[in-house]
Amino acid sequence: MAEHPCDDHRAGQHTAACMTGPCGFCSTDRGTTASGECRSCLRIVCEICDAGYDADLGPICQPCHDADSTTANTPPPDAPRDQHRRCVFDLDLSCGHVVTYAVTGWYPVSVGCCDRLGVTIMDGTYVAYDSHVDHVRLRLERYVEVPASTPPRPSRVLRRLSRTDDPARPSYPGHRASTGRYPARVGAAWTLDGSMPRPS
């Protein structure tokens, strides 16, 4: 594999140089083919490298596809197999963000998004509170056969945007309202390293 031009900058911060010249994966001239950003590695890839393409989610470059494939070390046909459900959701979160979230399994009830709702500091470790999921939209769902006992892929946030909706009244008494663009509360950092928790 050729040295990738996007190794010289942070992921997703492409320059004009990234969009010209040969593809960093297969050396195809991107001036003659379509190109886009791989949704897994966030690097610019050419159309020839795309193992799959979704109009909303973008391409998947061949190396990322190959790394995700189970065909390289195929177990014997009679070996036990599991089926993993891999999904991509748009989640409206209680912190006021919309995240595109990739997960193995079904959608979560809370997501570590930002520190807008507050954080805890304990033993020097800074941990933001999770945001609750207000609303879910499924974008992609596929099932993958994997060898038994294969651990699920780590869940990850692919994209984060601010919400534009206003807070909505709860449907039932006692239910919390959807936070819309403004959280119901904004938390401060609380440290447990001292004798008393205190806001920072």
Side-chain angles (χ1 to χ4, degrees):
M1 182 188 305
E3 182 179 346
H4 201 287
C6 295
D7 287 332
D8 296 331
H9 63 72
R10 294 175 64 184
Q13 296 184 349
H14 303 294
T15 64
C18 301
M19 300 298 296
T20 59
C23 172
F25 289 112
C26 70
S27 299
T28 298
D29 182 5
R30 283 197 298 271
T32 61
T33 62
S35 61
E37 185 177 65
C38 172
R39 71 171 183 254
S40 294
C41 68
L42 302 182
R43 291 172 167 175
I44 299 296
V45 297
C46 74
E47 191 175 51
I48 294 174
C49 281
D50 295 345
Y53 189 87
D54 182 279
D56 294 322
L57 299 178
I60 307 172
C61 70
Q62 193 66 48
C64 288
H65 177 269
D66 291 344
D68 191 37
S69 175
T70 59
T71 57
N73 298 310
T74 304
D78 56 346
R81 309 281 289 175
D82 287 336
Q83 190 176 64
H84 284 190
R85 177 200 285 126
R86 293 186 179 161
C87 299
V88 177
F89 296 98
D90 279 341
L91 306 176
D92 293 353
L93 301 181
S94 59
C95 61
H97 291 112
V98 177
V99 295
T100 301
Y101 195 72
V103 62
T104 300
W106 205 234
Y107 64 86
V109 295
S110 61
V111 171
C113 175
C114 64
D115 60 4
R116 196 171 183 186
L117 302 181
V119 300
T120 299
I121 303 171
M122 186 172 184
D123 297 329
T125 303
Y126 181 96
V127 180
Y129 295 142
D130 283 356
S131 301
H132 293 288
V133 176
D134 284 338
H135 189 68
V136 178
R137 292 176 298 282
L138 177 65
R139 300 190 68 169
L140 179 69
E141 179 180 8
R142 64 190 178 102
Y143 293 84
V144 179
E145 290 280 337
V146 297
S149 303
T150 300
R153 296 173 66 185
S155 301
R156 63 195 189 281
V157 174
L158 303 178
R159 182 177 62 175
R160 183 174 68 183
L161 301 170
S162 293
R163 291 172 64 174
T164 59
D165 54 323
D166 290 319
R169 289 184 170 275
S171 303
Y172 302 97
H175 284 207
R176 291 187 175 185
S178 171
T179 55
R181 74 186 88 175
Y182 304 112
R185 68 174 187 85
V186 176
W190 288 81
T191 176
L192 303 180
D193 290 343
S195 57
M196 291 290 292
R198 61 185 186 278
S200 62

